[in-house]
């Protein structure tokens, strides 16, 4: 049911999503995010303190999610020498479904399956994709409901501004 509801919501918002942009958020601590990675390594967002982290909630069946994945991989490559990380939180799909997708669209960042959707509510995820940027102190700073080209000059400028902040 959740998959169909989100698919319908994404389809209804397809036009506004194309014009989506990162928006500043009121600063507050990021919700807890602890999940086993698709690679078998447990990931805990709190262990990434000192880095700017892009947390992207997505699903294989979501067309805007699929579209933005290559730009996130390019962004990770571009910022590889900076204190930056990306966590792709897949919602409601099996590791087999995720791996099949990643064979078609390879990525260079951590994928965290959330098969039960336990992180949707605390992260206030109502549609896919939903993304948050966490600063070096572990605070929510930017948010986006929809997809963008993550390696666009505008997105990179916002991320580099956070990367330049001192702790």
């Amino acid at each position: 049911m959740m998959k169909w509801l989100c698919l319908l919501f994404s389809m209804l918002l397809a036009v506004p999503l194309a014009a989506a942009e990162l928006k500043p958020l009121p600063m507050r601590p990021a919700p807890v995010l602890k999940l086993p990675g698709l690679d078998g390594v447990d990931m805990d967002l709190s262990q990434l303190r000192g880095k700017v982290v892009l947390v992207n909630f997505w699903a294989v069946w979501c067309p805007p999610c699929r579209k933005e994945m290559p730009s996130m991989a390019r962004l990770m490559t571009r910022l590889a020498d900076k204190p930056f990380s990306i966590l792709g939180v897949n919602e409601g799909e099996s590791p087999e479904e995720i791996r099949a997708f990643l064979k078609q669209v390879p990525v260079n960042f951590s994928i965290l399956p959330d098969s039960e959707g336990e992180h949707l509510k605390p992260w206030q995820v109502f549609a896919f994709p939903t993304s948050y940027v966490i600063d070096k102190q572990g605070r929510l700073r930017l948010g986006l409901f929809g997809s963008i080209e993550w390696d666009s000059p505008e997105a990179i400028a916002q991320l580099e501004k956070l990367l330049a902040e001192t702790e």
Side-chain angles (χ1 to χ4, degrees), residues 49-65:
R49 283 272 162 88
K51 290 186 175 191
V52 172
V53 182
L54 166 58
V55 179
N56 175 266
F57 292 87
W58 68 285
V60 168
W61 54 263
C62 164
C65 302

Side-chain angles (χ1 to χ4, degrees), residues 10-21 145-147:
S10 292
M11 288 170 54
L12 290 173
L13 294 178
V15 173
L17 290 181
E21 63 182 60
F145 305 103
S147 66

Side-chain angles (χ1 to χ4, degrees), residues 34-46:
K34 286 173 103 169
L35 286 166
L38 191 62
D39 59 4
V41 176
D42 288 347
M43 179 57 67
D44 183 344
L45 178 61
S46 68

Side-chain angles (χ1 to χ4, degrees), residues 17 35 48-49 55 78 80 83 88 93 109 112 122 129 156:
L17 290 181
L35 286 166
L48 297 176
R49 283 272 162 88
V55 179
R78 175 148 181 184
E93 294 166 322
F109 52 87
L112 311 175
I156 289 172

Side-chain angles (χ1 to χ4, degrees), residues 80-135:
D81 62 338
K82 310 250 190 217
F84 178 75
S85 190
I86 298 175
L87 302 177
V89 183
N90 178 275
E91 293 300 331
E93 294 166 322
S94 71
E96 295 76 25
E97 290 173 296
I98 299 166
R99 283 188 184 96
F101 169 72
L102 294 175
K103 283 183 182 176
Q104 299 169 8
V105 182
V107 299
N108 52 356
F109 52 87
S110 297
I111 299 294
L112 311 175
D114 185 13
S115 58
E116 301 301 316
E118 66 184 82
H119 289 76
L120 294 174
K121 189 174 180 180
W123 282 83
Q124 300 179 354
V125 176
F126 303 106
F128 299 124
T130 293
S131 301
Y132 294 98
V133 178
I134 314 305
D135 69 14

